[in-house]
Amino acid sequence: MTDLQVIPIPAERLGAMMRDGRDDLGNPVEAWSVHGWEPLRCCLRVAEPGEDVALVSYRPFDEPSPWAEVGPVFVHRSGCPGYADPRRLPEQLRSGPRILRTYAPDGSLDYADITRVPDGEDLQPFLEDLLSRPGVDRVHVRADASQCFTYEVRAGRESNTGDGHW
Ligand SMILES: [Zn+2]
């Protein structure tokens, strides 16, 4: 079994957006009126009405790459505690229907291993299988219909030093 490492939007990236008041495409960060279905990419749960949330454009890549897409994600504008346990999949966002988009270590899209998880099925066995394949460095979990980015998953490190720099 492969240990998983769940990666939300990094706190420093989110903090920079909120400080600058601009997202990765330069859009102003504005309040979103929460309906109660919005998946939050900072703490990986569904938003509740009344929470301070924004819809921002986010680029979930560190390296320059033609595959490094920018897309809309919901985040807390303030008061986010982050994601508590990166070794576990988020309870509210761990089942299909989802698209699992696979990437090689250089950030290039790995077309051959892209997988659709059917409605109601748990993502964990799909993620473990994909991350055990030789060409797959990371998986982007995305919404099925809209294909919006939800979170990234990598294989966990054997000897985690616990420094939190993911
Ligand atoms: Zn949050």
Side-chain angles (χ1 to χ4, degrees):
M1 181 180 139
T2 307
D3 283 340
L4 302 181
Q5 178 186 334
V6 176
I7 304 171
I9 181 169
E12 57 271 24
R13 292 275 304 273
L14 183 60
M17 277 188 202
M18 297 308 135
R19 197 169 51 246
D20 299 345
R22 298 277 163 183
D23 66 19
D24 283 352
L25 285 180
N27 301 304
V29 175
E30 293 172 344
W32 173 271
S33 184
V34 173
H35 298 272
W37 56 266
E38 297 87 346
L40 294 163
R41 272 60 163 213
C42 39
C43 43
L44 304 183
R45 62 169 174 78
V46 174
E48 293 170 9
E51 288 194 278
D52 187 15
V53 165
L55 178 64
V56 297
S57 287
Y58 172 58
R59 180 182 178 280
F61 296 84
D62 293 327
E63 66 277 86
S65 159
W67 288 276
E69 292 173 57
V70 182
V73 299
F74 292 103
V75 291
H76 274 122
R77 292 204 310 167
S78 59
C80 181
Y83 185 53
D85 188 354
R87 291 164 303 175
R88 295 171 63 93
L89 295 177
E91 282 307 315
Q92 294 180 327
L93 302 169
R94 63 172 298 155
S95 60
R98 302 258 168 210
I99 294 291
L100 304 181
R101 204 185 279 178
T102 46
Y103 293 88
D106 66 356
S108 60
L109 184 61
D110 164 33
Y111 293 84
D113 293 307
I114 295 171
T115 299
R116 181 178 183 277
V117 179
D119 191 14
E121 292 203 26
D122 189 64
L123 303 186
Q124 181 126 1
F126 291 89
L127 288 164
E128 288 177 359
D129 173 39
L130 290 171
L131 288 166
S132 70
R133 298 182 189 181
V136 178
D137 176 63
R138 65 196 98 151
V139 179
H140 283 186
V141 175
R142 288 177 177 260
D144 180 44
S146 64
Q147 303 218 344
C148 293
F149 173 80
T150 310
Y151 55 92
E152 179 175 299
V153 182
R154 298 182 184 231
R157 295 171 187 163
E158 288 298 317
S159 55
N160 192 333
T161 55
D163 62 4
H165 289 290
W166 293 346

